[in-house]
Amino acid sequence: MTRIVGYVPGAYDMFHIGHLNILRRAAQECDRLIAGVVTDEVLERAKGRPPIVPLAERLAIVGSMDCVDEVVTDVSSDKVVMWERLGFDVLFKGDDWKGTEKGDRLEADLGARGVRVHYFPYTVHTSSTALRRLITGT
């Protein structure tokens, strides 16, 4: 019997319902779910600002979820790096990536390795960016 290993990377800064939604949905689509929490440095390079919640706390929060089988530190914005380390079969992302340059690149890079990218509806009404703006006024 083939077991499907799923991977869902994210910042998980200021954990909210969108994070919960993608983790729960991803768990339903695979036999084993690994959640990758990006480092503070990777997040700062990608978003241009550090997270509000430090890595150790984000790892603890995501790792406490019943739907997550394993939590790892995601050390690169290049998901091939994480695939080489973990060997997952499917990567889960919000559909805000679908059809974008970075989403197309992600699909091509992982597809060349036999990994599919599965998109879930993005939770529009709640995001870490919106929460940050509300809290900090920026």
Side-chain angles (χ1 to χ4, degrees):
M1 180 169 125
T2 303
R3 290 180 42 93
I4 297 170
V5 177
Y7 184 64
V8 59
Y12 304 104
D13 196 20
M14 297 179 291
F15 196 90
H16 57 73
I17 192 67
H19 298 138
L20 182 60
N21 287 342
I22 198 167
L23 290 168
R24 283 182 173 165
R25 289 176 180 147
Q28 294 172 347
E29 299 292 327
C30 61
D31 300 303
R32 177 170 173 71
L33 182 63
I34 304 170
V37 180
V38 298
T39 65
D40 295 354
E41 296 78 20
V42 169
L43 182 57
E44 189 162 1
R45 277 194 306 273
K47 303 253 183 182
R49 62 183 182 273
I52 290 178
V53 179
L55 176 62
E57 293 178 21
R58 292 182 285 124
L59 284 164
I61 291 165
V62 174
S64 74
M65 305 296 300
D66 287 340
C67 57
V68 173
D69 296 299
E70 181 181 357
V71 64
V72 298
T73 300
D74 190 321
V75 296
S76 177
S77 57
D78 180 354
K79 297 310 158 203
V80 171
V81 170
M82 295 307 292
W83 174 80
E84 289 171 345
R85 182 174 149 198
L86 301 168
F88 49 84
D89 304 297
V90 58
L91 182 137
F92 301 102
K93 288 297 285 178
D95 65 3
D96 56 320
W97 276 59
K98 191 171 188 170
T100 66
E101 183 180 326
K102 61 185 178 180
D104 292 345
R105 188 172 50 252
L106 179 69
E107 290 177 40
D109 291 348
L110 291 177
R113 290 153 178 86
V115 177
R116 72 183 168 90
V117 177
H118 184 96
Y119 295 101
F120 291 113
Y122 183 72
T123 307
V124 179
H125 65 278
T126 304
S127 74
S128 296
T129 302
L131 290 172
R132 177 185 287 271
R133 277 192 209 116
L134 184 66
I135 292 168
T136 64
T138 60

